[in-house]
């Protein structure tokens, strides 16, 4: 939606909002769920537990197609490949070698040159905009096949965690603004008939509104809850603390788009008595990483090629924290080839295998955006800070901002249980992890504003590390 459209939409009374949202949803669902979608879904479901060689063969074919189209129909990649002397026959023989010879695409390049990167062979059937941390949106051109494939992979993930392949009754918490921000009374949600989905606002999760959300959830009884973990966590924590009864048990809770912390998983699983499944993809069309029924994160090799670069810029080893470099089969219109997506993962130990039936390789953890990782002279890189809150009482929400190597700001929304002892313990935990030569500032605040796309920034480093 454009700014003006959004303004008009927000000021509409509920029945009109419902109508307008559903007209758009109808158009979207016509684009998403075609015959091709059914074909792709079957293909992906079969590949999930196929023989590993069959998966690799499929990956090679998809990569060949992606590179051939890029060579011929993308100005950006065509020039790079021609300068490197790459020809069609090289791609046909060994697409993986061709891929490795190509330069890494930076986020700034992807943002600035979408019209050069675009694949002119394919029609533009959809345009997406993503606001990045800097505010300026990234344009994403999409063709129907890419839309179908992305939704089919998404549905395959649901199938792998035991959900029906048909649209299940679901609730989504996303950054979409569908209720005016200053609204004080329910509804804080809009029902999307075509997806059988209740869209709940993540901008109205204030303490006084939470009981309305819970009542609505109890009436609606979704099979699946999905969206931002920070939003589902706020609700879950409130349910647990106030002993609310949830009189339905969802089959799955699937979270995405933000880093999922262990303390969030714990509260959510307790509140809904249901496993939380983590999932990684991006609006630019990154390949998928999805959690299986055994709680392991599988790289969906049929959605792209994954490479891992460590902090020294070399190929990362098992057990290391690494930057994710992706080549995607889910966006053929605006190709991503060796794209540094600026997200990080913790690689699994060598030889780790999963017995869920899927032979695709695993990673240990999704550690978040590159700027989620803190750095101090004393301790180097610190990827996960959630353990610093273990055993502490009274913290409703927190945010860590590192302005410089020597300055850490901790913003806390805390209740009366957060006393002086707790504060001392928090500081001690931070010093253990980040060192004693850093200046810590603990601020108790009433509100922590959401970042771009309504996402919650739990950890943010505001300087670049140049070693
Ligand atoms: Zn598994």
């Amino acid at each position: 939606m454009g700014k003006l459209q959004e303004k008009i939409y927000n000021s509409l009374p509920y029945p009109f909002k419902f109508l307008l949202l559903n007209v758009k949803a109808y158009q979207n669902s016509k684009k998403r769920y075609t015959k091709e979608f059914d074909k792709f879904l079957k293909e992906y479901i079969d590949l999930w537990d196929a023989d590993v060689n069959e998966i690799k063969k499929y990956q090679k074919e998809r990569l060949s197609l992606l590179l051939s189209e890029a060579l011929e129909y993308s100005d950006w990649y065509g020039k790079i490949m021609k300068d490197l002397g790459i020809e069609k026959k090289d791609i046909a023989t060994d697409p993986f070698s061709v891929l490795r010879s190509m330069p890494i695409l930076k986020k700034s390049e992807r943002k600035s040159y979408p019209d050069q990167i675009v694949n002119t062979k394919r029609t533009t059937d959809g345009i997406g905009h993503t606001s990045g941390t800097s505010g300026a949106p990234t344009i994403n051109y999409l063709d129907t096949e890419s839309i179908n494939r992305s939704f089919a992979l998404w549905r395959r993930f649901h199938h792998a965690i035991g959900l029906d392949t048909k649209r299940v009754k679901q609730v989504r918490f996303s950054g979409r603004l569908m209720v005016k921000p200053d609204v004080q009374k329910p509804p804080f949600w809009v029902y999307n008939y075509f997806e059988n989905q209740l869209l709940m606002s993540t901008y109205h999760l204030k303490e006084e509104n939470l009981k309305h959300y819970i009542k609505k959830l109890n009436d609606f009884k979704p099979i699946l809850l999905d969206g931002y973990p920070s939003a589902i966590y706020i609700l879950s924590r409130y349910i647990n603390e106030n002993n609310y009864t949830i009189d339905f048990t969802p089959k799955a809770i699937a979270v995405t788009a933000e880093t999922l912390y262990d303390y969030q998983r714990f509260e959510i699983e307790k509140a809904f008595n249901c496993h939380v499944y983590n999932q990684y993809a991006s609006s630019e069309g990154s390949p998928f990483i999805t959690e299986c029924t055994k709680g392991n994160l599988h790289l969906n090799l049929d959605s792209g090629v994954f490479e891992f670069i460590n902090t020294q810029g070399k190929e990362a080893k098992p057990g290391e924290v690494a930057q994710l470099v992706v080549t995607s089969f889910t966006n053929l219109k605006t190709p991503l080839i060796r794209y540094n997506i600026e997200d990080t993962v913790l690689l699994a130990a060598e030889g780790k295998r999963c017995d869920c039936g899927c032979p695709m390789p695993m990673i240990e953890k999704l550690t978040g955006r590159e700027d989620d990782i803190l750095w101090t002279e004393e301790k180097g890189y610190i990827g996960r800070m959630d353990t610093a809150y273990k055993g502490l009482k009274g913290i409703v929400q927190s945010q860590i901002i590192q302005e410089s190597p020597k300055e850490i700001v901790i913003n806390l929304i805390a209740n009366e249980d957060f006393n002086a002892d707790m504060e001392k313990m928090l500081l001690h935990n931070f010093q253990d992890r980040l060192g004693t030569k850093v200046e810590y500032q603990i601020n108790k605040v009433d509100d922590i504003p959401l970042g771009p796309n309504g996402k919650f920034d739990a950890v943010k480093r505001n300087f670049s590390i140049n070693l």
Side-chain angles (χ1 to χ4, degrees):
M1 258 197 285
K3 274 251 149 43
L4 181 68
Q5 278 170 297
E6 193 172 287
K7 218 170 159 183
I8 296 168
Y9 170 84
N10 276 330
S11 59
L12 289 172
Y14 185 83
F16 292 100
K17 255 185 205 152
F18 171 80
L19 206 69
L20 209 71
L21 185 121
N22 278 279
V23 168
K24 183 85 189 122
Y26 172 67
Q27 291 165 343
N28 282 341
S29 72
K30 260 185 34 188
K31 258 186 225 165
R32 285 172 194 169
Y33 308 115
T34 56
K35 271 209 180 79
E36 291 287 282
F37 167 85
D38 295 334
K39 195 186 99 191
F40 297 147
L41 177 59
K42 187 178 178 315
E43 187 176 297
Y44 291 133
I45 287 177
D46 290 346
L47 280 162
W48 181 250
D49 51 7
D51 180 77
V52 72
N53 292 319
E54 196 185 319
I55 299 168
K56 285 189 175 154
K57 190 174 150 241
Y58 180 90
Q59 189 188 35
K60 189 177 170 186
E61 279 164 17
R62 300 291 308 162
L63 181 62
S64 296
L65 177 82
L66 174 74
L67 294 174
S68 312
E69 287 193 9
L71 173 67
E72 216 168 334
Y73 302 104
S74 156
D75 288 348
W76 179 272
Y77 290 115
K79 184 176 182 312
I80 290 173
M81 291 162 103
K82 276 163 204 150
D83 287 349
L84 288 166
I86 294 165
E87 291 177 26
K88 272 208 144 174
K89 64 173 188 341
D90 304 320
I91 297 171
T93 331
D94 190 355
F96 292 100
S97 297
V98 169
L99 183 69
R100 277 191 298 271
S101 72
M102 292 188 47
I104 285 177
L105 178 71
K106 295 193 199 92
K107 210 153 197 174
S108 55
E109 292 169 330
R110 168 64 187 82
K111 200 181 190 66
S112 308
Y113 309 110
D115 294 303
Q116 291 178 42
I117 292 170
V118 79
N119 171 347
T120 55
K121 185 193 177 192
R122 292 176 180 264
T123 53
T124 303
D125 305 312
I127 298 180
H129 300 270
T130 329
S131 23
T133 32
S134 59
T138 300
I139 294 176
N140 191 20
Y141 301 108
L142 288 161
D143 61 318
T144 303
E145 183 181 338
S146 302
I147 296 169
N148 294 159
R149 283 191 179 274
S150 302
F151 279 90
L153 279 160
W154 178 250
R155 192 63 63 78
R156 191 264 303 269
F157 162 52
H158 288 168
H159 178 261
I161 58 173
L163 295 170
D164 204 301
T165 52
K166 298 273 172 291
R167 274 164 257 190
V168 296
K169 197 176 196 186
Q170 57 186 284
V171 167
R172 170 161 297 176
F173 291 89
S174 74
R176 199 161 152 184
L177 194 69
M178 64 280 189
V179 179
K180 222 174 169 178
D182 55 4
V183 161
Q184 311 279 341
K185 281 193 309 228
F188 306 113
W189 43 80
V190 186
Y191 180 62
N192 175 346
Y193 171 81
F194 295 96
E195 298 278 357
N196 196 6
Q197 180 184 54
L198 186 69
L199 295 156
M200 287 193 139
S201 168
T202 51
Y203 298 91
H204 298 80
L205 291 164
K206 297 185 181 72
E207 182 127 357
E208 61 270 26
N209 296 338
L210 296 179
K211 58 180 184 297
H212 300 298
Y213 277 84
I214 295 165
K215 182 172 183 308
K216 184 67 187 175
L217 282 171
N218 274 333
D219 290 344
F220 190 72
K221 302 194 186 347
I223 307 280
L224 167 73
L225 275 89
D226 76 2
Y228 294 175
S230 63
I232 307 176
Y233 164 74
I234 292 171
L235 204 57
S236 301
R237 196 178 175 280
Y238 186 78
I239 291 168
N240 295 337
E241 291 223 323
N242 297 284
N243 296 314
Y244 270 96
T245 314
I246 292 298
D247 50 22
F248 64 96
T249 312
K251 270 197 179 156
I253 298 175
V255 296
T256 193
E258 293 173 341
T259 311
L260 168 68
Y261 296 100
D262 293 341
Y263 68 89
Q264 293 174 328
R265 184 191 279 275
F266 174 80
E267 292 285 343
I268 299 171
E269 292 187 343
K270 188 174 163 198
F272 291 96
N273 189 25
C274 169
H275 187 77
V276 173
Y277 294 92
N278 202 358
Q279 189 259 2
Y280 176 86
S282 84
S283 46
E284 300 142 297
S286 143
F288 283 49
I289 302 173
T290 57
E291 186 172 331
C292 71
T293 47
K294 301 282 176 188
N296 289 316
L297 289 163
H298 289 273
L299 302 170
N300 292 193
L301 296 187
D302 46 2
S303 68
V305 179
F306 299 85
E307 294 174 82
F308 305 100
I309 311 286
N310 69 15
T311 44
Q312 280 83 45
K314 305 240 166 60
E315 194 182 326
K317 294 188 201 63
E320 275 189 322
V321 170
Q323 284 205 31
L324 197 52
V325 173
V326 296
T327 297
S328 178
F329 308 152
T330 68
N331 194 348
L332 299 153
K333 179 68 192 165
T334 319
L336 298 175
I337 299 173
R338 298 201 91 196
Y339 178 48
N340 183 348
I341 197 156
E342 296 185 4
D343 280 315
T344 62
V345 299
L346 174 64
L347 296 183
E350 198 150 20
K352 192 177 170 188
R353 280 201 170 67
C354 185
D355 54 7
C356 73
C358 172
M360 300 197 216
M362 291 179 288
I363 55 159
E364 193 60 39
K365 242 175 188 157
L366 290 159
T367 39
R369 288 194 307 272
E370 200 270 331
D371 61 7
D372 280 358
I373 295 190
L374 304 177
W375 185 87
T376 65
E377 220 172 275
E378 220 175 318
K379 302 277 183 177
Y381 291 94
I382 305 98
R384 299 215 30 129
M385 283 301 292
D386 48 325
T387 53
Y389 300 105
K390 217 171 178 175
L392 293 176
K393 287 197 188 91
I395 300 175
V396 178
Q397 219 174 13
S398 80
Q399 179 182 52
I400 306 166
I401 298 175
Q402 185 175 24
E403 293 294 349
S404 74
K406 289 195 180 305
E407 253 178 301
I408 301 269
V409 177
I410 307 154
N411 293 319
L412 293 178
I413 302 179
N415 62 28
E416 60 284 354
D417 294 335
F418 189 77
N419 54 27
D421 285 345
M422 289 295 149
E423 187 162 336
K424 228 194 239 164
M425 209 157 119
L426 178 74
L427 187 64
H428 175 80
N429 290 351
F430 268 70
Q431 285 172 337
D432 270 357
R433 285 160 182 81
L434 299 166
T436 49
K437 292 180 193 117
V438 179
E439 198 183 304
Y440 297 95
Q441 186 189 325
I442 300 175
N443 298 328
K444 285 189 208 149
V445 297
D446 294 327
D447 187 33
I448 301 173
L450 297 174
N453 296 321
K455 290 187 199 177
F456 181 70
D457 276 323
V459 180
K460 193 152 177 50
R461 170 170 45 76
N462 283 334
F463 63 96
S464 46
I465 304 167
N466 299 310
L467 297 173

